Amino acid sequence: MPDQSPDTDELLRRAEDADEAAIGALFDRHRDRLRHMVGVRIDPRLAARIDPSDVVQEALTEALVQLPSYLRNRPVPFYPWLRQIAWERLVRLHEQHIQAQRRSVLKEDGDVLPLPDGSAVKLVDKLISNETGPSLRAARKEMRERLRYAVEQLPPHYREVIILRHLEQLTFEEIAGVLGVREAATRSRYRRAVEILHRRLSGDAF
């Protein structure tokens, strides 16, 4: 049966009227996406101490306080706004719990958390074709290693758009909201990142 639940825009309109049910539905609708984001981004050392679900719950609690301000302006689509709160919470937790190794956890090009090894493998697997012919099966291990190296060598702004698109599975509109750029620029950046990866895998120089 078709989904009869209100869409996000309708829930936001109702939230502007302080409809508590709509606010709860808004947060519940995006809880799993936030949980996925935290799960693929959290450092394993931190995940051993803190449940990603707790990070999400704390972010939602903070978002509830900030929601009236967001509703007045709506500077970006709802999910990128919500994700930013969870992201900032995750960055703060990395700073607090892995302080002694901060330089390896927070890169110098802004509050960008390096992708954990397990998530990097998942990303590469998503990028690799699902074809299962004998020649590809034989080459799959080498291809995975080459692709992972190629992704790691991407400039950060290209690598991030690949991660957001394929690992977090955001739409281009949402990615634009996360990165603070126009959607057309996001699509262009993504195309350029894919071109670089293809050239790298074909053996050409960047």
Side-chain angles (χ1 to χ4, degrees):
M1 295 181 63
D3 184 3
Q4 299 297 321
S5 61
D7 63 18
T8 295
D9 285 339
E10 172 61 21
L11 290 172
L12 286 169
R13 286 192 290 270
R14 288 165 51 186
E16 289 175 343
D17 295 327
D19 185 327
E20 293 184 4
I23 294 171
L26 269 174
F27 288 176
D28 287 342
R29 171 167 294 181
H30 298 288
R31 187 184 300 271
D32 287 346
R33 298 186 74 192
L34 291 177
R35 173 64 178 75
H36 175 70
M37 184 277 286
V38 173
V40 300
R41 296 286 193 153
I42 193 169
D43 187 288
R45 294 167 293 178
L46 182 57
R49 308 176 191 179
I50 297 175
D51 190 320
S53 295
D54 292 337
V55 180
V56 171
Q57 187 55 48
E58 291 167 359
L60 292 177
T61 299
E62 186 175 342
L64 182 61
V65 175
Q66 297 185 30
L67 184 61
S69 176
Y70 170 80
L71 291 173
R72 284 194 296 271
N73 302 306
R74 294 206 204 178
V76 294
F78 183 71
Y79 179 72
W81 173 77
L82 198 59
R83 180 194 177 280
Q84 183 63 27
I85 294 174
W87 176 260
E88 290 172 355
R89 176 64 183 163
L90 185 59
V91 169
R92 289 196 298 269
L93 286 169
H94 276 78
E95 292 175 345
Q96 294 167 8
H97 290 269
I98 317 178
Q99 187 69 33
Q101 301 177 45
R102 182 175 179 182
R103 288 183 61 84
S104 67
V105 174
L106 295 182
K107 295 187 175 180
E108 294 179 357
D109 55 350
D111 288 340
V112 177
L113 302 178
L115 199 62
D117 286 345
S119 295
V121 171
K122 290 179 183 177
L123 174 61
V124 168
D125 285 343
K126 286 181 178 294
L127 293 172
I128 290 178
S129 169
N130 289 325
E131 294 293 333
T132 57
S135 61
L136 183 56
R137 281 200 301 269
R140 186 174 292 275
K141 181 177 179 181
E142 179 185 355
M143 183 187 298
R144 181 181 289 111
E145 292 173 351
R146 290 177 61 197
L147 182 54
R148 180 171 179 180
Y149 178 78
V151 170
E152 289 174 348
Q153 295 303 306
L154 283 173
H157 59 291
Y158 288 140
R159 183 171 59 249
E160 184 66 9
V161 75
I162 291 289
I163 293 171
L164 290 171
R165 181 63 174 165
H166 291 281
L167 194 56
E168 293 194 34
Q169 298 180 318
L170 271 60
T171 67
F172 284 111
E173 180 185 18
E174 290 170 337
I175 295 172
V178 169
L179 299 180
V181 299
R182 295 181 182 275
E183 184 175 342
T186 298
R187 290 179 180 274
S188 177
R189 187 179 299 183
Y190 173 78
R191 286 194 298 269
R192 177 57 178 156
V194 171
E195 289 171 1
I196 292 175
L197 290 178
H198 284 168
R199 291 175 60 186
R200 182 68 182 182
L201 289 176
S202 68
D204 295 336
F206 279 16

